[in-house]
Amino acid sequence: MKYITCCFTRSLLCAVLLTGMLPAHTVAEVNWDPGISLGNMYTDNIDLTTDNEEHDFITALSPEITLNIVEQFTNLSLFYAPTYASYLRFPENNTFRHDAALDFSRQITRTTRLEISNGYRYTEDPLSESIDADYDRDTTVRQGREPYTTNTAALSVINQFGPDNSIALDYEYYLLSNRDPALEDSNHHRPGITVTYWLIPDRYCAETEAAYTKRDFDASENYNDISGRLRLIRRITPHFDIYAEYTHELTDYVSETEDYQVFSPVLGFSWDEYIDYSLTASFGYFFRKNDQSGSDSGPVGTIEGRYAWEPGASLLLNASAGYDRASGGSEELGFNPFYDVAGTVTYPMGRHLHANLFTGYRWNIYTEESPDREDTLWRAGAGLAYQALPWMLVQLNYAFQDLNSNIDTEDYTENRAELTITLNPRQPLRLSD
């Protein structure tokens, strides 16, 4: 609970300070958007275990509030949704969940903008961030229903010096705290800088990025990561760019673990000539050079396509290959080459009824584990959203996940289905004159 109190206190203090930055002589527009949702979810494997799977029905009642303050040069948005989760078969898991977010932006000068954000979550659901089709998720395995806390705070200062030229200074802090003593707590600090400069307007551009990451763990060895990226862009038409990119990373462990460097050249293009469809792709390779042991390598690339054929209907396809770090999640597994493919279809089945389908596959290779560990994760799902009344939304969702690992104790399969009713006013309530 100390992490909940600490994070809430910081967010509240930050909100008060940011609100105080609004000029006293200007009139701000203040909108309040309340809501409440009631849902019931069935899962056939609440603990994500290999054997002795247990099912349960989980009822969740969640009031929520969004407060937006808009002034001529300033925007502030606050969101908070406490949720009471009640388990039918295993009431010892009953708990309060908390989701909160803060987003702030201010135009400091004509060319300089300040952005601040904070996202907080306290939950016992091991897959709370893995059900949506589009997500940046922890693909390691979290078992059990012990609560955990995540908090991400970010600050950016962006200066625009020219129509398309900019320099951005960024800082991010991430915290993971687990109640389960078998899982490792972690945090990281990540300052960085990104510069975009058009050498010849609308023809040649250079984009550079540098970042330093300091990762701390309770049990695993701490390390520092320095990364740099340079992308040279050639604009062929207003809607078609080609580019060459090079990324270099250095990972330096504080103590005895072997340090390494990664070199990654890539060629790519981006095409968005038509409003209904677009395509981006990149192809390259990475080479990892270890200080003592042998080196390894693999492909790097992305393909992302979007196609819309009528209002509300769209198809998204993306595939990627490359490398990552399994750090800051439920397991600390080190260097991680991966292959990933996913697709999402949304389609309007009527004026007030929309459907979606999604599927995905990911292959993770954890080369720093002994013996080497490989996980394959299949996921699929479908959903219906029905706007029953202007102020009532009814949603029915189904999701399937199957993780197969060469470490047998990490395997799991889960099916979950959820019916949710959400009530919101048709228009936000305006609190200012």
Side-chain angles (χ1 to χ4, degrees), residues 76 140 297 341 375 426:
L76 174 62
T140 60
S297 60
V341 60
D375 293 357
R426 296 183 62 179

Side-chain angles (χ1 to χ4, degrees), residues 236-253:
I236 307 300
T237 73
H239 303 282
F240 182 61
D241 294 346
I242 61 174
Y243 64 85
E245 181 177 289
Y246 174 72
T247 301
H248 193 127
E249 296 185 33
L250 169 64
T251 298
D252 178 22
Y253 284 92

